Amino acid sequence: MQKSIEVEYWVVDQDGALTKPGELTNYSEFVEEEFVYPLLELKTPPCESYAALRSTFVELLDELLSKADELDKTLVPLGTPLNSGPIEVRPSKRSRIQKRVLGDNFAYAKYCAGTHLHFEKRNVTDQLNVLTSLDPALALLNSSPYFRGERTANSARAYIYRQKCYEYFPLHGQLWDYVNTVGQWERQLDRLFDSFKEASMNEGVNEVDIDASFSPQDIVWTPVRLRDEMPTVEWRAPDTSLPSQILQLTKEVDSVMKQLYHAEVRIEGDTGEVTDDGITLPEFDTVLDYVQEAIHDGLESEQLAAYLERMGFSVQEYEPLTREIDGHDHVSLDEAREIRLRYGERLRRDVDQLLRK
């Protein structure tokens, strides 16, 4: 089964201030601009094995970091920039429409950097449902508790993205319930496209502009998405983090995905478990409870940690960066710049260690 990784990183200058990537997004087809200026995304090509994906990801990231060094820039693996001045959006018709529809809440999306895992479509209904049940695993990579300097949640990114940015359009940005068929998922996309289109036109957006900028396939920003590329099922739950932690998560999620070839998937109760004989998903309301614990408490929740262990994760192998950064109600602009530089250095050391293994 082919798989790939996409990771977003903040770009800062030598003082730790957010800055534009500049030439960093021009030298490689695997590095792209994001919709805000101080963010870029590294994308691996599809790889058949985890070993190939690991080596490709590490090599591409090492090359990117070397290029950043040449330009006196640093990449930062944190879910939010902690604290900063205003962040500017790259001008695009798509972003302008989103701003018209979401209003001031759209600004929350500007402060979010995440990790996206893609898995080749196989047993798609089971893939959608299993990845939905694994959404609480976002806690394993929580990497910033601060938004605009204030202590917000164990994963400030997940909180502001899901519960603030899409507060009035929850199905466009929050976790969906399990589905019985792929057709059910696609019909939901069609309905949400129609509702977003209607909301856009009510805000004075031209219908031609809406149709040129959006389609049912890209109208949602949910933690689980169906994508035409490759084509894949995309899991977008976690923050960005250190590559060693991202690779650990990728390996374990991939292992669960491979079990779908032969395991029976059923939904029942409130426990959940992945075994060699089958995969039991808890009822959706139970998953939502775990998601809230993942966002607000992270791995400090013993109940959540036990659930993730049952679902196939080696929880003790993870060291969420939030644990290291947390501890104050407020982080100043100067402190945020210092922390960004510190974790930019951690990113470089982490890649160096991965290259030696």
Side-chain angles (χ1 to χ4, degrees), residues 132-133 136 175-178 267-271 281-293 303 307:
T132 295
S133 77
L175 191 66
W176 287 8
D177 201 345
Y178 301 128
I267 301 168
E268 63 180 34
D270 58 4
T271 302
L281 312 183
E283 299 291 341
F284 184 65
D285 286 346
T286 299
V287 173
L288 291 181
D289 289 340
Y290 284 131
V291 169
Q292 289 304 307
E293 291 183 30
Q303 184 178 9
Y307 171 69

Side-chain angles (χ1 to χ4, degrees), residues 313-342:
F313 296 99
S314 303
V315 174
Q316 297 304 315
E317 296 294 320
Y318 293 89
E319 300 176 356
L321 298 182
T322 280
R323 285 179 169 173
E324 304 173 8
I325 298 172
D326 208 351
H328 301 280
D329 292 333
H330 179 80
V331 169
S332 70
L333 290 170
D334 287 342
E335 289 169 334
R337 285 193 286 269
E338 291 175 3
I339 294 171
R340 289 197 291 265
L341 287 174
R342 185 160 72 245

Side-chain angles (χ1 to χ4, degrees), residues 83-99:
N83 196 1
S84 68
I87 293 179
E88 189 177 354
V89 176
R90 292 183 184 275
S92 74
K93 190 172 294 183
R94 184 180 171 90
S95 294
R96 287 195 294 271
I97 294 173
Q98 287 178 271
K99 175 65 170 67

Side-chain angles (χ1 to χ4, degrees), residues 6-49:
E6 300 174 354
V7 188
E8 298 163 340
Y9 296 104
W10 301 105
V11 184
V12 301
D13 61 20
Q14 292 182 304
D15 295 322
L18 297 177
T19 189
K20 296 179 180 180
E23 296 178 24
L24 283 177
T25 56
N26 298 329
Y27 82 96
S28 170
E29 64 180 305
F30 302 113
V31 182
E32 297 183 358
E33 297 175 345
E34 266 294 330
F35 85 105
V36 294
Y37 281 109
L39 202 62
L40 60 73
E41 185 172 49
L42 175 66
K43 297 184 175 185
T44 72
C47 298
E48 188 64 38
S49 68

